[in-house]
Amino acid sequence: MTPPTVLISAGHSTVFPKDPGAISKRGKGNLVEAQLTLRLRDLVAARLRLSGINVVEDGEDGVSEPLKKALALARTVSGPKIEFHFNASTN
């Protein structure tokens, strides 16, 4: 049986045209959604691969591609597609 192929997207682009998503300016430094979702994408992809699942990502080496490229990639994968986002809050 062939293992499934899963597409995992970090949800925001770290390359031109950049789309950083939500940015928190609280505490020490800024939390940028694009960087958080990128790390989460890489962690989940690594875990899935350890489980024998084929994984396609919307970038590599600290890069997450713009939405247009991610959508084109999604059209090539017939299995499940996962995209990560975090919501912003004022409290």
Side-chain angles (χ1 to χ4, degrees):
M1 178 184 231
T2 304
T5 297
V6 176
L7 169 70
I8 301 180
S9 170
H12 288 278
S13 175
T14 58
V15 296
F16 182 81
K18 286 189 177 187
D19 175 14
I23 300 173
S24 169
K25 296 184 191 287
R26 290 185 179 201
K28 296 179 181 178
N30 293 340
L31 292 176
V32 179
E33 182 180 6
Q35 294 301 320
L36 295 173
T37 58
L38 184 65
R39 287 191 288 188
L40 181 60
R41 179 202 69 194
D42 292 346
L43 288 170
V44 170
R47 290 286 182 137
L48 289 174
R49 286 185 178 110
L50 286 174
S51 298
I53 296 173
N54 296 318
V55 178
V56 176
E57 298 174 64
D58 67 342
E60 57 186 36
D61 297 327
V63 171
S64 129
E65 294 293 341
L67 180 60
K68 197 173 203 175
K69 286 187 179 180
L71 286 172
L73 182 61
R75 290 184 185 104
T76 69
V77 176
S78 62
K81 291 130 181 109
I82 301 167
E83 182 171 284
F84 294 112
H85 287 274
F86 294 103
N87 291 333
S89 175
T90 58
N91 57 12

